[in-house]
Amino acid sequence: MSGLSRRRFVSGASAAVAGAALWPVLTPGRALAQDRALAATAARAVRIDGTTLEQVATPVGDGAYKRLAAGPGWPLVVRAELAGAASGRDDRRTGLASFVQFTDLHLTDTESPVRFEYLARLIDSAHRPQEALTVRGASSLVERVNAVRQGPYTGLPFSLVMATGDNTDNHERIELDWYLSVMSGGRITPNSGDLARYEGVQNSGSAEYWNPESALQDSYKAKGLPRIPGFLSGAVRPFDAPGLSVPWYTTVGNHDDSVEGSLPDLGLLGDLYTGSLKVEGCDDATAAALADALLHDPGQAVVLLGKLLAGGGAIRTVTPDERRHPFTPVEFAQAHLNPAYTGPGPVGHGFTKDSVSSGHLYYTFDLADGVLGISLDTTNRAGFADGSLGTGQLNWLESVLKTHSGHWYDSDGGVVRGGSDGRLIVVFSHHTSGTMGNLLPDPYHPFEGRHSGDELVALLQRFPNVVAWVNGHTHTNQIIPHGHTVPERAFWEINTASHVDYPHHARIIEVADNQDGTLSLFTTLVESAAPYRTDFTDTSDPGLAALYRELAYNDPYATPAARIGTAADHNTELLLTKPAT
């Protein structure tokens, strides 16, 4: 359906659009301005069902623990910083591409010995009360995409889903198996070690953690988190993941190639991963020193961890599991080629036999007719959370951009003509332009230079057919215009919040030609298919998926308001000058 005209599509969906346009006006209690904005949004869309254009999880109540309910949707915000918004474009618009971005799923083996839950009060990502439910939460997100099926503004069916990194939390083989099964479908047991029980901090009896099944008045219950009998046994219960109904691709993130996303994996901790000793607590001074080392001195972090294991911390014996062994980049690519995980395709999900032999986790793919996707590997195996690009990959990217650009600009601003086609280009990576300052040498390629986000922005701006850079990593919704004195050299950077921290968003992205010298990029956030209402006695699969969202909002160490972003980072129309042919 590439090239589908919105006018032709709407003629077959007018009844649905009319109904969608009316409901915000008829809902009592909403501000008039919000009503009008939502009505205008629905009138411009083909359909809004199942997206945050229709409704959004909203906290209610006055207690310390906030319940979530269905609240008013978020209206479309038109952003014209890079090009003007001409009237009548809805009737002229032709859809070019429609796809979905997942990011930062962080499917977590919560029982793994190589975790730092005892640092949660210092590093909020070290432990989350909802993390035993990451696999069910991700599967519920898949259900939502399967139900929505098409872009709300172009009406084009989704061509694919791209997961932009941190698909696993601690690059363990079992986490990778869960990720591949969630995306392709299959039976999943979200448990490790002893499959008959849960062995993690949430039944430790320590008051430092939320013990959901216990009457213990721990520090989390003091902040309002409830007691939920059957929570942990439900969390580790096998279930059938439906898998995506559309093709999907993978981009690699720092949590997919390093210890807890920050320590270089030099093979020193392999025995700890698969062993039986799990640190569950330490004194405040050691915790502060370890938290600082994780952020600034990975080598010292390994030393401090060794001291804790030698008797300096609270140690728990857990059931060893070889499936916790960390995977290498080559094994990451190889696992995607396993026929058991092909699902709706494509074979390898972007990775090929060459990826396995070379270890290069970057590639190109057809996003839609006339639209090329480029997936980058911005991880740096030297450690630390932030990333960069190696010289070899940067040179490869420049050659790909030249091949698929009718013209481009040299470093002095001169126009160069060439290239076999003039396809539009969307770039994907895990890291953002602002989180690519990690220029330490890659220990596996110590003599190769590393390049920053600013250098990548400068390169992309030389190629007018680059329209968007889509990424994750920050766990925050943020859309950044990268302007230029030459309008066709501008592009949009679209950064989407994670699906482990609230607000648990994925993003629909549509590309459309307005037939007036401009393009529109529509970005629409979606939540999982889980019901908003939770029931502390309901540990069914939908009930657990609902709890996953609500517990994330109530994580006492998280900052959900900061991660949601502004209205200009949610449901948007991003105007852009169409590149000259």
Side-chain angles (χ1 to χ4, degrees):
M1 293 180 67
S2 181
L4 178 68
S5 163
R6 179 186 180 277
R7 182 188 293 275
R8 292 198 304 273
F9 189 92
V10 169
S11 67
S14 57
V17 175
L22 287 173
W23 75 261
V25 178
L26 299 175
T27 303
R30 292 184 178 162
L32 182 58
Q34 173 98 344
D35 288 350
R36 289 173 174 168
L38 287 168
T41 292
R44 293 190 63 197
V46 172
R47 57 178 291 180
I48 63 173
D49 311 37
T51 74
T52 59
L53 296 164
E54 178 187 28
Q55 59 185 6
V56 178
T58 303
V60 296
D62 299 323
Y65 182 91
K66 295 292 189 294
R67 307 305 289 264
L68 296 180
W74 288 334
L76 184 74
V77 173
V78 177
R79 296 190 57 174
E81 295 101 310
L82 301 182
S87 61
R89 63 190 183 282
D90 284 346
D91 294 326
R92 297 189 302 270
R93 179 173 300 123
T94 300
L96 303 177
S98 173
F99 60 94
V100 180
Q101 179 202 11
F102 286 1
T103 196
D104 296 85
L105 296 172
H106 285 272
L107 302 190
T108 305
D109 173 16
T110 60
E111 298 156 283
S112 171
V114 186
R115 302 204 70 233
F116 300 92
E117 294 104 335
Y118 44 94
L119 302 182
R121 62 191 184 278
L122 302 170
I123 302 175
D124 64 352
S125 61
H127 172 60
R128 303 168 173 96
Q130 74 277 11
E131 62 193 13
L133 301 176
T134 53
V135 182
R136 272 189 175 75
S139 187
S140 184
L141 183 64
V142 166
E143 290 179 42
R144 174 66 75 193
V145 171
N146 289 346
V148 173
R149 299 189 309 279
Q150 65 189 63
Y153 288 95
T154 63
L156 289 174
F158 301 141
S159 61
L160 58 93
V161 171
M162 167 60 84
T164 54
D166 285 3
N167 313 292
T168 66
D169 188 65
N170 206 8
H171 84 310
E172 296 180 13
R173 291 171 183 169
I174 190 169
E175 293 174 337
L176 180 56
D177 175 70
W178 293 340
Y179 165 69
L180 296 171
S181 297
V182 162
M183 300 293 274
S184 290
R187 185 85 170 160
I188 301 176
T189 301
N191 193 9
S192 64
D194 185 346
L195 298 185
R197 58 181 178 148
Y198 170 87
E199 300 175 294
V201 299
Q202 290 186 305
N203 70 353
S204 64
S206 168
E208 293 301 310
Y209 304 109
W210 180 48
N211 290 252
E213 295 186 345
S214 167
L216 174 71
Q217 290 304 301
D218 54 58
S219 61
Y220 284 77
K221 293 193 185 81
K223 294 179 171 65
L225 268 71
R227 182 183 180 190
I228 305 178
F231 178 87
L232 295 173
S233 55
V236 300
R237 184 181 63 234
F239 74 101
D240 292 311
L244 285 162
S245 60
V246 297
W248 58 271
Y249 292 79
T250 294
T251 294
V252 65
N254 55 294
H255 277 260
D256 300 316
D257 82 344
S258 58
V259 181
E260 286 291 309
S262 55
L263 296 181
D265 186 355
L266 303 176
L268 301 177
L269 299 178
D271 290 342
L272 179 58
Y273 268 99
T274 59
S276 62
L277 301 180
K278 179 178 176 63
V279 179
E280 290 192 335
C282 65
D283 63 86
D284 289 347
T286 302
L290 182 54
D292 183 72
L294 284 170
L295 296 174
H296 305 109
D297 188 350
Q300 180 63 13
V302 174
V303 171
L304 289 170
L305 183 57
K307 290 181 178 179
L308 287 176
L309 289 166
I315 307 294
R316 175 177 182 170
T317 300
V318 298
T319 304
D321 194 332
E322 284 296 321
R323 298 176 302 163
R324 293 182 179 135
H325 197 284
F327 54 78
T328 66
V330 167
E331 290 170 337
F332 184 71
Q334 196 164 37
H336 282 75
L337 287 160
N338 186 334
Y341 301 122
T342 299
V347 172
H349 306 289
F351 301 117
T352 63
K353 291 181 180 179
D354 180 65
S355 305
V356 174
S357 61
S358 68
H360 294 162
L361 301 185
Y362 46 89
Y363 58 87
T364 65
F365 61 101
D366 291 326
L367 198 156
D369 290 344
V371 185
L372 180 73
I374 302 177
S375 175
L376 300 178
D377 176 4
T378 54
T379 64
N380 185 341
R381 297 178 74 193
F384 298 108
D386 287 354
S388 54
L389 283 182
T391 298
Q393 185 178 178
L394 190 73
N395 291 340
W396 169 86
L397 174 61
E398 183 174 7
S399 69
V400 168
L401 292 171
K402 287 180 177 178
T403 298
H404 296 286
S405 300
H407 71 282
W408 62 87
Y409 293 81
D410 62 27
S411 56
D412 296 321
V415 178
V416 180
R417 300 205 172 270
S420 60
D421 60 57
R423 286 195 278 180
L424 299 179
I425 294 175
V426 178
V427 176
F428 299 88
S429 72
H430 179 63
H431 293 91
T432 67
S433 60
T435 57
M436 288 181 60
N438 181 1
L439 304 184
L440 290 173
D442 178 343
Y444 294 88
H445 302 91
F447 303 110
E448 182 182 39
R450 305 293 299 184
H451 302 273
S452 69
D454 289 342
E455 291 177 84
L456 182 52
V457 169
L459 174 63
L460 297 179
Q461 287 190 319
R462 289 174 48 203
F463 295 86
N465 52 334
V466 173
V467 296
W469 177 8
V470 180
N471 46 43
H473 186 60
T474 66
H475 295 211
T476 302
N477 290 315
Q478 185 178 27
I479 298 177
I480 303 169
H482 288 286
H484 197 280
T485 53
V486 179
E488 71 167 359
R489 296 178 65 177
F491 70 90
W492 289 94
E493 182 174 354
I494 302 169
N495 183 214
T496 303
S498 77
H499 210 261
V500 66
D501 290 312
Y502 192 84
H504 287 186
H505 284 153
R507 197 186 293 267
I508 300 168
I509 300 174
E510 301 168 87
V511 183
D513 186 344
N514 295 322
Q515 307 295 335
D516 61 3
T518 67
L519 301 173
S520 286
L521 309 181
F522 290 95
T523 76
T524 306
L525 296 172
V526 291
E527 300 169 309
S528 80
Y532 292 121
R533 182 181 179 276
T534 60
D535 181 340
F536 298 150
T537 67
D538 180 7
T539 57
S540 66
D541 290 341
L544 290 171
L547 284 167
Y548 180 57
R549 180 194 290 132
E550 190 170 274
L551 290 168
Y553 183 85
N554 286 280
D555 180 352
Y557 298 114
T559 54
R563 298 189 187 281
I564 289 173
T566 70
D569 305 305
H570 297 162
N571 302 328
T572 68
E573 180 185 8
L574 311 175
L575 275 297
L576 195 64
T577 297
K578 184 179 178 179
T581 56

